[in-house]
Amino acid sequence: MRNVYLDYSATTPVKEEVLKEMIPYFTEKFGNPSSLYDKGLEARDAVTHAREQVAALINADPSEIFFTAGGTEADNWAVFGATDKLKEKGNHIITTKIEHHAMLHSCAFLEKHGFDVTYLDIDKDGRVDLQQLKDSITDKTILISVMMVNNEIGTVQPIKEIGKIAKEHKILFHTDAVQALGNVPIDVKDMGIDLMSMSSHKIYGPKGEGALFIRKGVRISNYLHGGAQEAGRRAGTENLTGIVGFGKAAELARVHFDEHVKHSSTLRDYLVERILNEIPDTTLNGTMEERHPGNANITFKYIEGESILLLLNQFGISVSTGSACSSKSLEPSHVLVALGVPVEMIHGTVRFTVGDFTTKEDIDYVVDCLKQVVTRLRELSPINEKKGW
Ligand SMILES: *Cc1c(COP(=O)(O)O)cnc(C)c1O
């Protein structure tokens, strides 16, 4: 049976070149980067090199990159570090209804501890309204956090405009760029970003590694306390192999950026076109303008997305409903709710995300299997147009 992985937004395989770079750092080059003898310096040099590789991908200075244990820690550090540092100034945060749970659940925690959070709406294309953002700012606002690219519907937010608004009001601006990294051009200087979260395993690097960009001069409280690693700002012995792998993945993402975007978007467009044309009662969620190049989020009316997922799995195909993080709950996706998709349609929604190892043959196989699966499920389905669809 064919195996087709179409869930690149959940995670990606580690590329051969990345793994090759990492291996020596498990064995002969295993030193602690804090040690002062040669073996430590060798490890320290590797961390320094990786920092340069990550910085180059986003036009940052290497001294502005702080390695973390992934995107979740970077989001937590940004929001807790910023609010702790600035709590004397105010207690108001502005974010959106469609953030990753790493942000939303952190904000919910802060709400229990005296902070006020404004959750911005999105329009039918999935974008925040800049006027609503401006109107939400008060003299107590200390942080604006808007994700660069959404993980479910792939929408790219007007980050540069938001950065400008934040700067005009002298408010710190954080963006979760985990899905954006390697998929849309990022220039932290041009976009006016103060804090930015990144993750390695979404760009063909290893899991459990990521980084927070902190603009030079921006002070936020530390989140992990202990040793003086990461210029005294993030404690804990560095995940040396993870950092080396993330660095290499970032370099590959930078060097092959155009190729990657073209490959992904060509196959994604082909997938969307075939599904919408060949399978009746299907709709695409979100706009095709300014969208993650690999993302397709499609509703199949009258059936359950979970059933589609499980039957496709029997054909060796991996897709997801909502995000991987919320798949264990039966709650309808908060992103599709915010987009205004009716609840019964949300339940019929599947996210397909293509990437560097996807081929046209994979897409053809998936569409062929989808046709069978959707037909079978609709024949079995007790819900149909007459019952309120
Ligand atoms: C995957 C993801 C995260 C979490 O990153 P991890 O490295 O898996 O902790 C955060 N935000 C977004 C938008 C993501 O897609």
Side-chain angles (χ1 to χ4, degrees), residues 211-287:
L212 181 65
F213 158 81
I214 307 178
R215 174 194 292 287
K216 206 170 285 175
V218 168
R219 302 307 306 176
I220 62 171
S221 299
N222 286 356
Y223 182 59
L224 285 189
H225 303 270
Q229 290 89 356
E230 298 297 283
R233 298 179 80 169
R234 195 276 189 182
T237 300
E238 297 85 345
N239 175 0
L240 181 59
T241 52
I243 289 170
V244 167
F246 183 23
K248 186 66 186 177
E251 181 190 303
L252 293 175
R254 182 172 58 79
V255 173
H256 301 293
F257 182 80
D258 292 343
E259 249 173 276
H260 162 80
V261 169
K262 186 153 191 289
H263 177 82
S264 298
S265 59
T266 304
L267 290 175
R268 186 272 314 275
D269 292 353
Y270 178 61
L271 172 72
V272 169
E273 190 190 298
R274 281 206 60 189
I275 293 176
L276 297 185
N277 284 336
E278 298 175 34
I279 303 178
D281 295 317
T282 50
T283 53
L284 176 83
N285 297 306
T287 170

Side-chain angles (χ1 to χ4, degrees), residues 9 70-72 75 100 102 147 149 151 176 178-179 199 201-202:
S9 280
T72 299
D75 281 346
H100 189 273
M147 72 198 316
V149 172
N151 45 305
D176 174 337
V178 171
Q179 292 291 336
S199 176
H201 75 102
K202 307 272 172 83

Side-chain angles (χ1 to χ4, degrees), residues 9-23:
S9 280
T11 193
T12 58
V14 171
K15 283 190 173 165
E16 279 301 331
E17 300 101 300
V18 171
L19 179 64
K20 224 178 105 202
E21 203 80 8
M22 291 169 69
I23 284 174

